[in-house]
């Protein structure tokens, strides 16, 4: 099974700072069709997860342009510029290239 | 608006069975692949199962941790998706979310304990 390793496990930031989360895969996430099925989710306290990024770098509808996804192959990054209070929670990367699909372990973004 | 409403959770003993359901509305259900994701208390997300659409022969896929014990199914006429969970273990205790990308339900709690 594909293992997604997220670092760091937790990240303390000051509002307005930039935050960066890494997601490394045990296998390339490029599918045979050329698409990379790598997504990022945010789960706020007490809520269901919400989709932020799909296909490595495409922001879902309504997601601010402060969220930037990048990467290829096995290495992916989510950057959040100018962290705002509503950005706090746990971030997960997720791959749907290889069955069974898998989530990363999560990165908790909290205030310093 | 898209709605996914899970039901059927509760407390069961180890080795027992439970079937949870998800009622979908607000989109063309028969065209959507459906998934279950779970989250143990205080833990991360774990993808559990998915079922594809009729043109894809309702193909099903499972996480290794539930393969052979859980069965995902759907009823397109009712816009429902189900997760039959057999031989439950304490480690199956979790909030179970129904998803139809990119939408998620609010989840239903399943507790396996003696």
């Amino acid at each position: 099974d594909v293992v997604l390793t997220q670092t760091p496990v937790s990240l303390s930031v000051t509002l307005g700072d930039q935050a960066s989360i890494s997601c490394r895969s045990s296998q390339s996430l490029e599918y045979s069709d050329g698409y990379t099925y790598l997504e990022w989710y945010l789960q706020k306290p007490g809520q269901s997860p919400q989709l932020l990024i799909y296909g490595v770098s495409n922001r879902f509808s309504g997601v601010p342009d402060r969220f930037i996804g990048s990467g290829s192959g096995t290495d992916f990054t989510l950057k959040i510029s100018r962290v705002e209070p509503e950005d706090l929670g746990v971030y997960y990367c997720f791959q749907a290239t290889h069955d069974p699909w898998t989530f990363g372990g999560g990165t908790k973004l909290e205030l310093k | 608006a898209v709605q996914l409403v899970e039901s059927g959770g509760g407390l069961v003993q180890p080795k027992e069975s439970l079937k949870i359901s998800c009622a979908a509305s607000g989109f063309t259900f028969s065209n959507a692949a459906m998934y279950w994701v779970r989250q143990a208390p205080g833990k991360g997300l774990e993808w559990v199962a998915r079922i594809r659409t009729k043109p894809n022969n309702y193909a099903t896929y499972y996480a290794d941790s539930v393969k052979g014990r859980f069965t995902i199914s759907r009823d397109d006429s009712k816009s429902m998706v189900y997760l039959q969970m057999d031989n439950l273990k304490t480690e199956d205790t979790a909030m179970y979310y129904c998803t139809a990308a990119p939408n998620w339900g609010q989840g239903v709690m399943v507790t396996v304990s003696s």
Side-chain angles (χ1 to χ4, degrees):
Chain A
D1 297 0
V2 172
V3 176
L4 298 179
T5 302
Q6 283 184 239
T7 54
V9 172
S10 64
L11 190 51
S12 296
V13 298
T14 300
L15 294 178
D17 279 356
Q18 175 176 284
S20 182
I21 301 170
S22 170
C23 176
R24 289 190 170 173
S25 173
S26 59
Q27 300 178 37
S28 173
L29 297 184
E30 183 176 347
Y31 192 56
S32 53
D33 62 5
Y35 195 81
T36 300
Y37 295 87
L38 187 283
E39 300 173 355
W40 290 94
Y41 287 85
L42 166 61
Q43 187 175 31
K44 299 180 182 180
Q47 295 186 19
S48 302
Q50 58 189 82
L51 177 65
L52 297 174
I53 301 287
Y54 63 94
V56 179
S57 59
N58 302 287
R59 276 184 296 275
F60 182 60
S61 175
V63 175
D65 58 8
R66 300 181 288 103
F67 291 87
I68 300 172
S70 63
S72 64
T74 60
D75 287 347
F76 304 92
T77 301
L78 177 69
K79 282 187 167 61
I80 312 162
S81 61
R82 308 180 309 278
V83 170
E84 298 190 6
E86 59 265 31
D87 302 337
L88 303 181
V90 183
Y91 289 79
Y92 296 93
C93 57
F94 170 73
Q95 69 84 21
T97 297
H98 303 285
D99 278 298
W101 296 354
T102 48
F103 284 92
T107 296
K108 186 174 184 179
L109 184 66
E110 52 193 359
L111 284 180
K112 193 175 291 183
Chain B
V2 172
Q3 273 203 311
L4 298 166
V5 180
E6 302 93 338
S7 61
L11 173 64
V12 296
Q13 296 196 343
K15 300 186 181 180
E16 289 187 341
S17 297
L18 190 68
K19 187 173 186 177
I20 57 177
S21 305
C22 172
S25 60
F27 62 101
T28 306
F29 181 81
S30 60
N31 291 346
M34 299 297 297
Y35 320 94
W36 286 97
V37 174
R38 69 184 180 183
Q39 186 170 35
K43 302 296 185 182
L45 301 172
E46 180 185 16
W47 177 85
V48 173
R50 71 177 169 122
I51 185 166
R52 299 184 72 179
T53 57
K54 184 176 181 180
N56 293 293
N57 299 315
Y58 297 122
T60 58
Y61 306 81
Y62 299 93
D64 292 345
S65 57
V66 306
K67 198 176 295 182
R69 299 188 299 121
F70 288 14
T71 303
I72 187 172
S73 61
R74 63 191 296 161
D75 185 335
D76 289 349
S77 68
K78 297 180 179 178
S79 296
M80 296 286 295
V81 63
Y82 307 98
L83 188 66
Q84 174 69 44
M85 302 181 289
D86 298 321
N87 189 21
L88 281 160
K89 304 177 180 182
T90 55
E91 53 263 40
D92 295 318
T93 294
M95 182 73 77
Y96 285 74
Y97 295 99
C98 168
T99 84
N103 303 289
W104 293 59
Q106 289 304 303
V108 62
M109 189 67 200
V110 172
T111 303
V112 184
S113 175
S114 54

